[in-house]
């Protein structure tokens, strides 16, 4: 494989950058997804054409093909061989993880008392403490199913909505997410504009399938 072919293979499919709306409700997510898609199409960042090439998103196997102005969204578009992949739009209540292989949060911080509950005790442990994670796991499952889920704080005793717990940077709960597959790193200005268009607080992940 030539250097160019290797570069294209590395950038077109396996790597993603994700923006998760952590405030939109499940009921509002579909309409907001349509509005954001319209905005990106109008800006020339994506087209209406759908493709499954290099898309490995949660519950979604196709994304929107990049538009003629896709380079306006990235920090550096100087590599002429970089061919970005589709943008997948994920609607529905889900937990999202960055990186590869992770399925639990490293920790959760109680918004009432500030206590950090450690779930994975790095570097001594590389797997979650199932007993510690169980209340969060059950609350997330309930939230995913019904939109409501609470986890108790072991320190202050508060029963806190799972969407209010503060997670590590690689874990997020949200009803709307956007996966940019194989794109160069998104620019700070674009990410700021994207969040402004959403009108909500976001979490950002990068990772590899």
């Amino acid at each position: 494989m030539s250097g160019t072919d290797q570069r294209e293979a590395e950038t077109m499919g396996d790597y993603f950058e994700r923006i998760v709306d952590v405030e939109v409700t499940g009921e509002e997510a579909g309409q907001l997804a349509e509005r954001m898609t319209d905005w990106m199409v109008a800006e020339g960042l994506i087209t209406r054409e759908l493709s499954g090439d290099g898309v490995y998103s949660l519950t979604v196997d196709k994304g929107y093909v990049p538009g003629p102005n896709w380079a306006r969204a990235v920090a550096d578009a100087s590599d002429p061989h970089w061919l970005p992949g589709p943008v997948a739009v994920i609607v529905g209540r889900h937990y999202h993880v960055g990186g590869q292989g992770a399925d639990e949060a490293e920790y959760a911080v109680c918004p009432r008392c500030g206590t950090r509950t450690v779930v994975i005790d790095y570097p001594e442990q590389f797997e979650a403490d199932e007993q510690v994670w169980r209340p969060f796991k059950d609350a997330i499952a309930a939230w995913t199913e019904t939109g409501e889920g609470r986890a108790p704080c072991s320190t202050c005793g508060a029963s806190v909505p799972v969407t209010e717990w503060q997670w590590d940077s690689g874990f997020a709960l949200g009803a709307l997410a956007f996966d940019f597959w194989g794109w160069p790193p998104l620019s700070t200005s674009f990410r700021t504009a994207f969040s402004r268009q959403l009108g909500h607080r976001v979490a950002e992940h990068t990772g590899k399938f």
Side-chain angles (χ1 to χ4, degrees):
M1 179 182 294
S2 70
T4 297
D5 291 340
Q6 182 176 0
R7 179 61 169 168
E8 291 178 356
E10 289 175 348
T11 57
M12 287 184 64
D14 290 344
Y15 294 88
F16 66 86
E17 189 164 355
R18 174 183 298 131
I19 300 176
V20 184
D21 186 320
V22 298
E23 294 182 336
V24 69
T25 67
E27 294 70 26
E28 298 168 336
Q31 184 176 358
L32 182 55
E34 292 180 5
R35 183 165 65 79
M36 292 300 294
T37 299
D38 289 344
W39 173 69
M40 287 191 285
V41 170
E43 293 291 317
L45 304 175
I46 60 174
T47 71
R48 296 284 181 185
E49 180 184 352
L50 292 171
S51 172
D53 292 342
V55 175
Y56 308 99
S57 294
L58 184 70
T59 74
V60 174
D61 57 9
K62 289 185 179 181
Y64 295 99
V65 173
N69 299 331
W70 67 265
R72 295 179 181 176
V74 304
D76 183 1
S78 61
D79 186 346
H81 302 298
W82 199 313
L83 303 176
V87 177
V89 181
I90 306 163
V91 177
R93 291 185 292 268
H94 300 290
Y95 69 89
H96 299 272
V97 293
Q100 185 178 29
D103 202 42
E104 303 92 0
E106 181 182 344
Y107 61 81
V109 177
C110 175
R112 304 292 189 264
C113 69
T115 296
R116 175 182 293 203
T117 299
V118 176
V119 179
I120 306 176
D121 189 15
Y122 293 121
E124 280 71 27
Q125 301 292 330
F126 292 90
E127 294 183 357
D129 184 318
E130 289 297 330
Q131 185 174 354
V132 173
W133 181 241
R134 175 61 62 180
F136 296 107
K137 182 178 180 180
D138 291 345
I140 291 170
W143 168 77
T144 300
E145 183 68 24
T146 69
E148 297 288 340
R150 291 175 173 268
C153 176
S154 60
T155 298
C156 70
S159 179
V160 181
V162 72
T163 52
E164 295 182 18
W165 282 86
Q166 299 165 21
W167 311 98
D168 69 89
S169 61
F171 191 91
L173 303 178
L176 179 60
F178 301 83
D179 285 355
F180 293 77
W181 284 99
W183 286 50
L186 301 176
S187 68
T188 299
S189 60
F190 172 73
R191 289 185 278 111
T192 299
F194 198 92
S195 179
R196 187 182 303 116
Q197 286 291 326
L198 285 169
H200 298 137
R201 184 167 51 88
V202 301
E204 299 173 14
H205 294 159
T206 58
K208 180 178 183 296
F209 177 76

